[in-house]
Amino acid sequence: MLILIVLLPLLGFFSGSLFGRYLGIGSSFITTGSVFSSFLLSSILFIDVLSNGVVYKLVMGLWISSDSLKVDWSFCFDSLTAVMLMVVTFISTLVHLYSTEYMEHDPHLPRFMSYLSLFTFFMLILVTANNFLQMFVGWEGVGLSSYLLINFWFTRIQANKAAIKAMLVNRVGDFFLLLAMFAIYFLFNSLDYDVVFTLVPLMVSYKMIFMGFELPVLDIICVCLFLGAMGKSAQLGLHTWLPDAMEGPTPVSALIHAATMVTAGVFLIARCSHMFEFSPTALSMVMFVGSCTAFFASTTGLFQNDMKKVIAYSTCSQLGYMIFACGLSCYDVGVFHLSNHAFFKALLFLAAGSVIHAVGDEQDMRKMGGLKNLLPFSYGVIMIGSLALMGFPFFSRFLFKRCYIRSRLC
């Protein structure tokens, strides 16, 4: 059952890419069904892991064996992975279902659906990996999938530019993540999570020469890990790709840039929390960058006219809140906000797609108005998503604030 959670979206990708021209719109039902099946299995796992407190480890076999470097192809299903699986598979199922109608007139619908399934597969690889190298496979895979999806309408010059920009900006963060992995192997002689996190307390006093300065190795590793997370999670300085990525179809925005891919950086920090707790310098940096991002992106969003870019800057601001919570060592609060943000932000993006379709693919909000009576359902769901976003009492973000305050008091 555990391996099926990961492999079912891959089967959907192959069905859409290899047989899409023969299946036509039928490929969308196969890809949607495969991701929905993965969601059902994830739900069973989620209940099991959280109710019984168990952790499942699944070793498929030896992947790399070179001198002292030995890396298994293995999966870890703990509470953090279970939460991420629920978020990724549920949002992906809804986006697949939405895309079946949204893109029905596009002649390349099978290709689009196969790209969505490929992205879901790599995201599942990322969150279920049991070592840094396997996690990096998923990390790069979602980058590739985002390039393909943003550039889906490849005849548009702006879509080409946005996809290249997203790829190049993310490569900056990936370079630092690679440096962190090299330093981890240099210090721990292993890339397995279990080995690394167990030995962290013994390595606090170790130092190395970095750029002419003698610095603690853990500080170097954690700072590089965070710089890698900044690229994916669009933190201040590496945030420029996120608003431009709205050139892709609206379901792409909902899946990649609101629900899953951009939260990979938050997941990385939460997964490596054992290391960050021994690096006050890195935690201070995480807190500072997260707070600056939350303020900068929210104020920038006030001056945007494009409907999707307003929501994109809102996403960037919310990611700053998640990073800020992790910088305060409130990893559980950050992951909680990650999960509830995924749902109401995907809701806002999909509702925005409905509005944009209804007004003839117009995205400039200055040309809109009086749509309440014409689109009552879209108006209602946008209102619900907006109330959740602003932290209105008894909505999800209001509960996030209460959880944060309670965690700080305890």
Side-chain angles (χ1 to χ4, degrees), residues 108-410:
H108 303 289
L109 174 63
R111 179 166 63 90
F112 181 75
M113 300 300 293
S114 65
Y115 286 167
L116 290 180
S117 294
L118 181 65
F119 171 84
T120 306
F121 166 72
F122 279 122
M123 193 67 198
L124 295 181
I125 288 289
L126 192 156
V127 300
T128 58
N130 196 34
N131 57 71
F132 284 98
L133 193 58
Q134 186 176 332
M135 181 273 297
F136 191 71
V137 172
W139 190 275
E140 290 300 304
V142 292
L144 168 65
S145 303
S146 68
Y147 174 83
L148 295 173
L149 286 167
I150 296 169
N151 199 31
F152 176 73
W153 288 321
F154 51 83
T155 55
R156 298 184 179 181
I157 296 178
Q158 290 302 320
N160 299 156
K161 291 181 178 179
I164 294 173
K165 186 176 184 179
M167 181 67 76
L168 291 178
V169 173
N170 274 280
R171 292 294 74 74
V172 176
D174 296 349
F175 171 73
F176 286 102
L177 181 57
L178 274 175
L179 289 181
M181 292 170 57
F182 295 151
I184 288 171
Y185 181 70
F186 167 78
L187 183 62
F188 299 98
N189 203 33
S190 176
L191 292 174
D192 289 341
Y193 289 153
D194 296 336
V195 176
V196 172
F197 297 153
T198 302
L199 296 178
V200 164
L202 305 177
M203 303 296 181
V204 177
S205 60
Y206 277 70
K207 297 183 179 181
M208 67 180 294
I209 303 298
F210 183 76
M211 298 180 66
F213 297 95
E214 188 178 28
L215 301 173
V217 183
L218 281 180
D219 285 351
I220 297 173
I221 292 173
C222 291
V223 169
C224 288
L225 284 173
F226 175 60
L227 290 173
M230 283 178 62
K232 277 286 186 288
S233 293
Q235 295 302 288
L236 188 61
L238 296 177
H239 70 284
T240 53
W241 67 272
L242 185 63
D244 292 342
M246 298 301 110
E247 291 297 330
T250 300
V252 175
S253 304
L255 180 63
I256 298 179
H257 307 291
T260 51
M261 175 181 165
V262 292
T263 59
V266 183
F267 168 80
L268 177 64
I269 296 175
R271 173 63 76 194
C272 299
S273 58
H274 300 77
M275 303 178 70
F276 279 90
E277 285 302 301
F278 288 92
S279 178
T281 303
L283 282 178
S284 300
M285 180 179 177
V286 171
M287 180 181 65
F288 177 75
V289 173
S291 59
C292 290
T293 303
F295 177 77
F296 167 80
S298 58
T299 52
T300 304
L302 293 173
F303 301 97
Q304 300 299 313
N305 300 315
D306 190 302
M307 189 176 190
K308 289 169 67 175
K309 283 193 176 182
V310 172
I311 306 176
Y313 275 108
S314 169
T315 299
C316 192
S317 176
Q318 297 304 306
L319 289 166
Y321 278 109
M322 300 175 204
I323 296 291
F324 176 71
C326 292
L328 294 175
S329 298
C330 299
Y331 305 100
D332 54 343
V333 179
V335 174
F336 173 72
H337 187 41
L338 182 155
S339 58
N340 68 58
H341 168 265
F343 293 101
F344 65 70
K345 191 52 63 71
L347 172 67
L348 287 173
F349 265 116
L350 297 181
S354 173
V355 174
I356 291 169
H357 249 341
V359 295
D361 293 333
E362 178 61 61
Q363 297 183 198
D364 193 335
M365 294 190 298
R366 294 172 296 182
K367 300 179 181 179
M368 300 179 188
L371 298 176
K372 174 183 175 182
N373 297 327
L374 295 176
L375 303 169
F377 182 76
S378 297
Y379 169 81
V381 295
I382 288 180
M383 177 64 71
I384 293 172
S386 301
L387 291 175
L389 177 62
M390 70 177 67
F392 196 78
F394 308 111
F395 282 79
S396 57
R397 194 154 179 269
F398 174 75
L399 298 177
F400 157 70
K401 291 181 178 180
R402 290 190 61 184
C403 290
Y404 168 71
I405 294 172
R406 184 176 300 175
S407 66
R408 297 308 295 169
L409 292 176
C410 295

